[in-house]
Amino acid sequence: MVKRVFLIGYMGCGKSSLGRKLAKATGFRFVDMDGEIEQREGASVSDIFQYEGEEYFRRTERALIEELAQSKESLVVSTGGGVPTWGDNMERMNEVGQTIYLRRTAKQIASRLSPHGRQKRPKLRGLNDEKLVAFMTTNMAEREPFYAKARHIVDCAEMSDVELVELISKTIKENE
Ligand code: S3P
């Protein structure tokens, strides 16, 4: 049976690095949505936002979700932080796979984000420490109802990546 695991959550919560580790542990193919889109478009996410606009980026994400939904191989997908908030993406992911919300607070995420991590994300670029936490707190609250539609919610704060991979692998198995 084909399994599709979608990691969702706010920018910088660790979807990509955890996704890569989870893919190794499960043997599923790893897809990083931002990376896949950048490769296909031949442009960085920030250039796509700047030159094509956010709407174009969101439609590209939607098309990729549909493609992954029809995949014939098992996947671990690290979604972009905005994916769950757009159209019926959450419903579609829940229909074809298991969605896992990696929850962290704005403060935790801010302390994990490198200057490059801020710079490469068009929505966070140019914000100083104080503004970053304020923006993320408001934006996360707006997004929470979408993220909360996930099948499983994992509070990541006190957990190491090793523990998270173990917990999520177990959750995937239990919900086959
Ligand atoms: C976005 C999240 C980013 C990327 C783009 C927009 C968002 O992905 O898709 O910068 O709106 O939350 P990450 O969650 O991987 O940073």
Side-chain angles (χ1 to χ4, degrees):
M1 193 182 117
V2 177
K3 278 181 224 143
R4 303 177 192 89
V5 180
F6 297 95
L7 299 181
I8 69 160
Y10 202 72
M11 289 174 265
C13 72
K15 300 177 297 272
S16 299
S17 61
L18 198 71
R20 208 165 279 118
K21 292 174 187 171
L22 189 64
K24 256 202 186 138
T26 54
F28 300 173
R29 184 163 76 87
F30 175 61
V31 178
D32 180 73
M33 287 188 65
D34 285 345
E36 188 70 28
I37 290 172
E38 289 186 326
Q39 204 185 328
R40 292 183 188 189
E41 297 284 316
S44 66
V45 169
S46 51
D47 278 354
I48 300 172
F49 264 68
Q50 187 177 343
Y51 297 109
E52 306 286 348
E54 181 167 354
E55 172 92 19
Y56 174 86
F57 180 72
R58 297 303 177 199
R59 279 191 273 113
T60 309
E61 283 183 323
R62 181 63 184 88
L64 182 54
I65 286 286
E66 194 46 46
E67 192 182 313
L68 300 172
Q70 292 177 31
S71 139
K72 299 281 180 281
E73 61 182 326
S74 293
L75 304 172
V76 171
V77 182
S78 293
T79 64
V83 167
T85 68
W86 184 258
D88 65 346
N89 284 343
M90 256 335 271
E91 287 71 19
R92 191 70 182 119
M93 290 188 283
N94 277 332
E95 228 167 54
V96 298
Q98 298 192 45
T99 47
I100 298 175
Y101 172 20
L102 304 176
R103 181 146 68 187
R104 289 186 194 274
T105 65
K107 270 200 178 146
Q108 276 163 25
I109 292 179
S111 69
R112 291 162 45 97
L113 269 179
S114 65
H116 173 67
R118 287 181 207 191
Q119 195 57 29
K120 73 174 186 182
R121 292 179 171 94
K123 290 181 182 288
L124 306 182
R125 180 176 295 165
L127 298 176
N128 64 26
D129 283 358
E130 204 182 312
K131 285 199 174 132
L132 180 72
V133 175
F135 170 79
M136 289 199 306
T137 304
T138 310
N139 193 216
M140 280 168 97
E142 288 164 6
R143 290 180 171 191
E144 181 64 23
F146 297 95
Y147 293 159
K149 291 182 194 166
R151 290 261 184 268
H152 311 284
I153 299 180
V154 180
D155 279 304
C156 301
E158 308 298 330
M159 298 182 72
S160 68
D161 274 9
V162 172
E163 289 169 327
L164 284 167
V165 167
E166 215 168 278
L167 175 73
I168 298 170
S169 303
K170 197 166 151 250
T171 307
I172 299 167
K173 278 215 181 91
E174 283 170 2
N175 290 277
E176 281 178 349

